[in-house]
Amino acid sequence: MQKSQETSVIIIGGGPTGLSLALGLAKYHIKSILLEKKSSISEHSKAPVIHQRTREIFEQWGLGEQFLSRGNLLRELELKTAKNEKTLFHLDFKLLSNEAKQPGMLILKQSETEKILLEAVKGSGFCEVRFDTTAFFLKEVNGGVEAGAKNEDGEYRISGKYVVGCDGASGFTRQALGLSFPGKTYDVRTVLADVNINDKRNELHWPRIHNAKGEITVAIKIDQELWRLIHLETNSDNARSKEKISEEEINQWVINTLGEGSFKKVWESPFEIHRRSSPRFKVGRTLLAGDSAHVHSPVGAQGMNAGIQDAHNLAWKLATVLRGGNEWRLLHSYETERKEAVVEKVSGYTDLMTRSFLQVPFPIRNVSFFLLRKITSVPGLREKFLRRITMINLRYTNSEITDPLILSAGKRLPNIEIFSPDSVRWRLYDLLTLEILILIIGNPKLKKQFPHQIASLTIGDSNYRDPSQKLKKLLGHENGFILVRPDMHIGWAGTSIIQLNIAVNKISAG
C-alpha cells in the first residue's frame, strides 16, 4: 500500500451532494479529496428539477446565472391531462416574489448540474477529484480519520480530519459504519425513460399526464427535443421493478402522453421507491449526506435537492469546526437539523403525496387532484403549498444551536427587496456573505453594542429600507438584532445584546 496522503475532509461519492459539499468547503478554503468509483460524472438527465431553495444556494456560491442560462425556468406550472388537455392544477411561482428572487422551478439535466458543479470544484483549487477510485475501509486514528482507497495503480491511504459519505443508498460509507437503513419500499413499479422527439409534438404543453386505472405516466420536456417519461404502475409489486423495459412499453407510454409518432430512446431506468433513513447521520468523525443518509419518494422531485441542502448545511459547520469552533455542538446540529428538515418534513410530505396520488384507486386519485386544485386556489393555502414544494418553508426548530423560545429562529431568511440609502433596489441575499451577519433593525446606534469583528447591515431610518416590514415581523420588535447564519437561516432574533453574544458563540466559538 502506498504512502498515506493528507487532507482536511475526505468526501466519498461524486454526485450532486458530494460535489456540492466539496464546493461549499472550497468557499471557506477548506481542502478536500473526493473519491468517486465511477469513471466520470453522470451522462444522463436523472434528477432534472432544481427547486428555489437549491437555486438560492447556487446563487450564494456564485453559480446562479450559470444554472439559469443552461436550464429552463418555469415561472408557472400547469399540469394537464394528455387525453383532453384538461388542467388538473396550476401553480404560479411568481406569487413568492415578495420573498424570493426569480421564483420558479428550474428544469436542467442532472448531467449538466454535475458538470457545472465539477467545473466550479476543480476551478476552486481546494479539492482533488479522483474518479475510478473506490473507498474500501475507514477507521478513526489520532484525532482524525483514515480511509483506504484503490484505483488501477493500487491501494493507498488518505488521512483527514473528517469523512463525509455522499455515496448513495447502497454506498460503502454507511455500511462501513454498521448503520441500518430502516423504512419501507412502496408497492409501485416505477420507470424513468428519456426519449428524443423530432416533430410537432415538441410544441405540446408540458407537464402532461396520462392518468388511468392502475397506472400514471407523466411527460416533461427537459431539453429542446428531449422528453422525460415517468411511468408508475400502482397495481404492481416490487418484483416487477427490476424487470427489463421493452421497447413496446416505452412506445405505449409515448403514445399515451405525447401521441403517435417516432421516437429515439436515450435512456431508461427501472427503480424501486423507498422511504428510509439512517438512525445516525454522524458517527465519530464520519458523517452522511444525501441518499447515504435518507431516501424518499421522488414525488415532488426533492431528493437531489435535499442532498445539496445537506451539503450546504454541513459545509459551513465543518469549516467553522476546522477553524476552532465547537465540534460537538455544530456537527450534532447538522444531524438534528437535517433529520428534522428531510426525514420528518420532506419525507413526510412526499409520503403523503405518494399515498394520495399513487397508491390509491383511480377514482380516489381523481378526487386527490380535485382537492389539490381547490387547495391551490385559496390564498394562504396556495402560498403555503408553494413554499413547501419549493422547499423554502424548511426551518430548524430545536437544534443544538437554535433557541426554541425564539419564534423566528431556524427559519430561512426571506430574500426580500430592500432599498439602499440612494434608493437602489437590492435583494437581501445580494448583501449577505458566507459568514455570520447581524441585521440591525431600526436604531442604527445599536451597532455600538455588538462585537465589531462581525459584519452587520442596518435596516431602517437613513440606511437600507425594508418596505415589506418582514424583518420587523421576524424580529417581533421595532428595534433589535437578527443573527443570520452562513446558510441564510436565522440563528437568533431579539433585543438583548447578552443573548445575541451567546447566540453568536454557539455557532462560531470553540
Side-chain angles (χ1 to χ4, degrees):
M1 183 174 289
Q2 301 172 21
K3 185 179 178 181
S4 178
Q5 301 174 17
E6 294 185 1
T7 190
S8 293
V9 181
I10 304 165
I11 302 171
I12 302 176
T17 301
L19 290 170
S20 293
L21 180 61
L23 182 57
L25 290 170
K27 293 297 179 180
Y28 294 98
H29 295 183
I30 301 298
K31 290 187 176 182
S32 64
I33 293 176
L34 187 153
L35 310 178
E36 171 52 54
K37 64 181 181 180
K38 295 179 182 177
S39 59
S40 66
I41 57 176
S42 175
E43 298 177 352
H44 302 295
S45 61
K46 291 186 177 179
V49 175
I50 301 176
H51 285 302
Q52 185 70 30
R53 185 58 183 146
T54 306
R55 288 176 50 222
E56 291 173 348
I57 294 169
F58 291 156
E59 183 85 20
Q60 187 186 37
W61 290 340
L63 300 177
E65 290 302 318
Q66 285 193 55
F67 276 94
L68 279 177
S69 65
R70 297 197 201 184
N72 181 10
L73 182 64
L74 295 185
R75 302 301 299 273
E76 297 184 42
L77 179 68
E78 185 176 13
L79 179 64
K80 291 189 175 185
T81 60
K83 184 177 181 180
N84 55 18
E85 300 288 331
K86 177 184 176 182
T87 296
L88 292 179
F89 68 87
H90 173 259
L91 298 176
D92 186 354
F93 296 108
K94 296 190 295 295
L95 294 171
L96 298 176
S97 294
N98 63 342
E99 64 167 316
K101 179 182 177 181
Q102 293 180 280
M105 181 182 290
L106 185 66
I107 306 299
L108 182 67
K109 293 184 290 186
Q110 183 176 319
S111 56
E112 285 295 307
T113 293
E114 293 186 16
K115 183 178 180 181
I116 294 171
L117 291 171
L118 180 61
E119 289 172 350
V121 168
K122 287 184 173 180
S124 74
F126 284 92
C127 177
E128 184 179 348
V129 180
R130 301 178 182 178
F131 290 107
D132 289 315
T133 303
T134 303
F136 65 91
F137 83 78
L138 287 176
K139 66 177 180 179
E140 292 201 16
V141 290
N142 302 323
V145 186
E146 190 172 76
K150 56 184 176 182
N151 55 26
E152 60 180 8
D153 297 323
E155 298 180 354
Y156 60 95
R157 295 184 180 185
I158 307 174
S159 298
K161 293 295 184 182
Y162 298 95
V163 170
V164 184
C166 307
D167 47 345
S170 58
F172 159 78
T173 311
R174 192 187 65 256
Q175 296 178 32
L177 295 175
L179 294 172
S180 60
F181 210 36
K184 67 178 180 180
T185 301
Y186 295 89
D187 289 327
V188 178
R189 183 194 183 213
T190 311
V191 182
L192 303 181
D194 289 353
V195 295
N196 273 129
I197 302 291
N198 188 21
D199 53 40
K200 289 186 177 181
R201 287 174 294 172
N202 281 316
E203 300 172 8
L204 289 169
H205 173 89
W206 62 276
R208 52 200 301 108
I209 185 171
H210 168 72
N211 180 26
K213 184 177 181 180
E215 66 174 8
I216 298 174
T217 309
V218 178
I220 65 172
K221 192 176 180 182
I222 54 179
D223 212 338
Q224 290 185 352
E225 297 181 347
L226 183 66
W227 289 79
R228 157 66 56 81
L229 303 178
I230 308 161
H231 178 77
L232 304 106
E233 293 179 17
T234 57
N235 295 329
S236 186
D237 56 42
N238 294 329
R240 291 206 63 202
S241 296
K242 299 178 182 179
E243 289 182 0
K244 182 176 176 61
I245 310 303
S246 69
E247 199 80 11
E248 291 75 19
E249 282 186 292
I250 298 177
N251 181 57
Q252 189 59 55
W253 303 338
V254 171
I255 292 171
N256 289 343
T257 54
L258 303 174
E260 297 274 0
S262 62
F263 68 92
K264 179 182 178 182
K265 183 188 73 173
V266 176
W267 170 76
E268 89 278 345
S269 176
F271 66 99
E272 294 177 327
I273 298 180
H274 305 277
R275 184 188 183 190
R276 301 182 182 277
S277 65
S278 172
R280 301 284 304 278
F281 289 9
K282 178 186 180 298
V283 176
R285 289 179 170 267
T286 301
L287 301 104
L288 302 175
D291 287 355
S292 297
H294 47 74
V295 293
H296 47 78
S297 169
V299 175
Q302 302 201 337
M304 179 187 73
N305 291 269
I308 293 170
Q309 291 165 33
D310 284 350
H312 186 235
N313 182 288
L314 180 58
W316 73 269
K317 293 176 179 177
L318 276 174
T320 303
V321 169
L322 289 166
R323 293 187 299 193
N326 186 287
E327 178 188 55
W328 185 90
R329 190 163 54 224
L330 286 164
L331 297 188
H332 277 80
S333 77
Y334 164 73
E335 176 175 283
T336 304
E337 291 180 352
R338 296 311 294 167
K339 275 190 171 184
E340 177 186 10
V342 182
V343 178
E344 296 177 20
K345 295 178 181 175
V346 172
S347 184
Y349 159 68
T350 58
D351 179 62
L352 174 63
M353 298 297 283
T354 301
R355 289 185 286 107
S356 300
F357 290 93
L358 302 185
Q359 291 190 306
V360 293
F362 176 68
I364 298 178
R365 195 183 313 142
N366 282 333
V367 172
S368 297
F369 277 118
F370 171 79
L371 292 174
L372 181 59
R373 190 161 59 249
K374 289 297 182 182
I375 289 171
T376 54
S377 67
V378 178
L381 292 178
R382 176 178 57 209
E383 282 72 16
K384 186 174 182 180
F385 183 80
L386 280 169
R387 298 185 83 254
R388 170 167 284 184
I389 199 171
T390 56
M391 305 180 80
I392 65 173
N393 71 313
L394 297 174
R395 66 171 296 190
Y396 309 124
T397 57
N398 188 20
S399 76
E400 290 78 358
I401 58 174
T402 302
D403 185 345
L405 299 179
I406 305 299
L407 294 180
S408 61
K411 288 185 176 180
R412 161 192 167 270
L413 182 74
N415 191 13
I416 59 172
E417 283 190 340
I418 61 174
F419 291 85
S420 66
D422 54 354
S423 297
V424 176
R425 180 180 296 178
W426 294 84
R427 282 286 180 173
L428 183 54
Y429 284 10
D430 294 335
L431 304 175
L432 302 184
T433 68
L434 289 163
E435 304 292 345
I436 296 169
L437 179 74
I438 295 176
L439 296 176
I440 302 170
I441 309 300
N443 187 356
K445 294 181 180 179
L446 293 173
K447 184 174 182 178
K448 298 178 180 179
Q449 300 182 31
F450 70 85
H452 291 283
Q453 68 270 25
I454 300 175
S456 67
L457 186 69
T458 303
I459 309 292
D461 292 340
S462 60
N463 296 278
Y464 286 92
R465 292 179 288 111
D466 169 21
S468 72
Q469 299 294 301
K470 283 183 176 292
L471 296 178
K472 283 189 176 181
K473 291 177 182 177
L474 286 169
L475 177 63
H477 301 276
E478 286 295 311
N479 301 284
F481 309 98
I482 296 177
L483 172 61
V484 182
R485 303 178 355 169
D487 58 3
M488 303 175 288
H489 282 261
I490 296 172
W492 179 87
T495 60
S496 168
I497 190 65
I498 295 176
Q499 291 181 16
L500 171 62
N501 286 330
I502 292 172
V504 169
N505 287 333
K506 276 187 177 182
I507 63 177
S508 62

